[in-house]
Amino acid sequence: MPIWDGSMLLDIKNIDVLYDDFQVIWDLSLSVKTGEMVALLGPNGSGKSTILNTISNLIDHKTGDIYFDRERISDRPTFQRTAMGISHVLERRRVFPHLTVLQNLFLGAWHQQAKQSRQQSLSKVYRMFPKLAARSNQLAHTMSGGEQQMLAIARGLMGLPRLLMVDEPFLGLSPMVVKDLIGIFKNIVAEGISILFVEQNVRLALSMADRGYVLESGRLVITGDAEDLIDNDMVKKVFLGS
């Protein structure tokens, strides 16, 4: 058991991740504090989504440990991790296309505590995402890409997360929608919910995050405060190759 910082929510210690016999993550350690926004950065194929999937236990890790709120969760199944307060918004939105906005949101509140707070949570996400409130009975597949991304994030919030993980939240969205989502992310963190997100746009990610982790070929190559990483030469080398 590690020595625990009282503000620490997620603590990953020296994990290796393999797909069958092919190793994709090497000896990675990462942490997220309560109420902190952390960006996970790296070129395509560097292992960013794999890390989020490992935290959710969609992929198993072979060595190392994962702790959440002082508890070792390395052997816990996905549904238990979700009930503990880990919500995962997968890349490319992944809404249920032929269900309504309301039905999608209610599916996010599946565990017992979330079910008991479902109406309060619904009111909260509708205040945060007024466009969804106006489209409550609309089928998800008829919405724009930005609206579907908002729905996916709102559905994650219906599970009463303490840690919200979002994979490529701004992919394919217009600058106006991105601006709206950045404001929403800041509001989420202001309520004490931690965010760990994957993003390709380095400057955008670091402009809104507290800290950043940079991966290259499955290995952590640099970490630090976001403001220190924006113009870091090593970060430029990873992404530009020069």
Side-chain angles (χ1 to χ4, degrees), residues 64-134:
D65 295 294
I66 301 176
Y67 294 88
F68 185 74
D69 193 21
R70 302 175 181 264
E71 293 188 38
R72 184 179 181 276
I73 63 170
S74 298
D75 300 321
R76 296 204 177 190
T78 300
F79 75 91
Q80 289 186 4
R81 300 186 193 196
T82 303
M84 290 177 71
I86 299 175
S87 282
H88 185 180
V89 180
L90 298 167
E91 62 179 333
R92 301 189 185 279
R93 302 181 255 286
R94 307 287 183 93
V95 296
F96 295 95
H98 297 290
L99 298 181
T100 66
V101 167
L102 182 61
Q103 289 169 332
N104 268 274
L105 291 173
F106 277 174
L107 284 173
W110 65 267
H111 61 83
Q112 191 59 39
Q113 185 179 359
K115 285 180 180 178
Q116 293 172 352
S117 303
R118 194 169 67 174
Q119 289 302 325
Q120 299 96 306
S121 297
L122 184 64
S123 297
K124 184 176 179 179
V125 299
Y126 275 169
R127 288 195 301 271
M128 191 173 292
F129 301 91
K131 289 183 179 180
L132 298 184

Side-chain angles (χ1 to χ4, degrees), residues 39-222:
L40 190 55
L41 308 167
N44 285 332
S46 59
K48 305 181 300 296
S49 296
T50 296
I51 292 171
L52 298 193
N53 290 338
T54 303
I55 296 169
S56 293
N57 199 37
L58 301 179
I59 301 172
D60 190 20
H61 62 283
K62 301 302 179 183
T63 62
D65 295 294
I66 301 176
Y67 294 88
F68 185 74
D69 193 21
R70 302 175 181 264
E71 293 188 38
R72 184 179 181 276
I73 63 170
S74 298
D75 300 321
R76 296 204 177 190
T78 300
F79 75 91
Q80 289 186 4
R81 300 186 193 196
T82 303
M84 290 177 71
I86 299 175
S87 282
H88 185 180
V89 180
L90 298 167
E91 62 179 333
R92 301 189 185 279
R93 302 181 255 286
R94 307 287 183 93
V95 296
F96 295 95
H98 297 290
L99 298 181
T100 66
V101 167
L102 182 61
Q103 289 169 332
N104 268 274
L105 291 173
F106 277 174
L107 284 173
W110 65 267
H111 61 83
Q112 191 59 39
Q113 185 179 359
K115 285 180 180 178
Q116 293 172 352
S117 303
R118 194 169 67 174
Q119 289 302 325
Q120 299 96 306
S121 297
L122 184 64
S123 297
K124 184 176 179 179
V125 299
Y126 275 169
R127 288 195 301 271
M128 191 173 292
F129 301 91
K131 289 183 179 180
L132 298 184
R135 291 163 172 75
S136 181
N137 295 315
Q138 185 172 339
L139 295 179
H141 77 91
T142 65
M143 303 170 71
S144 70
E147 291 166 346
Q148 289 186 36
Q149 184 64 283
M150 291 180 184
L151 176 57
I153 294 170
R155 186 180 61 196
L157 292 172
M158 291 291 292
L160 302 179
R162 301 173 63 194
L163 172 66
L164 180 68
M165 303 191 301
V166 192
D167 198 343
E168 298 279 13
F170 310 124
L171 183 65
L173 302 183
S174 70
M176 185 62 69
V177 174
V178 170
K179 182 179 178 180
D180 289 343
L181 283 176
I182 290 172
I184 289 167
F185 273 39
K186 291 180 178 178
N187 290 337
I188 291 170
V189 170
E191 295 190 3
I193 300 171
S194 304
I195 294 178
L196 175 62
F197 71 103
V198 165
E199 175 55 38
Q200 287 291 332
N201 187 324
V202 178
R203 188 162 290 275
L204 170 63
L206 294 176
S207 71
M208 53 188 285
D210 297 301
R211 290 188 300 116
Y213 289 88
V214 181
L215 291 170
E216 186 176 26
S217 301
R219 292 177 170 88
L220 182 64
V221 293
I222 189 168

Side-chain angles (χ1 to χ4, degrees), residues 6-22:
S7 65
M8 199 70 70
L9 183 64
L10 174 73
D11 198 16
I12 299 174
K13 296 290 189 183
N14 310 109
I15 62 169
D16 291 336
V17 181
L18 289 77
Y19 291 115
D20 295 324
D21 294 327
F22 182 73

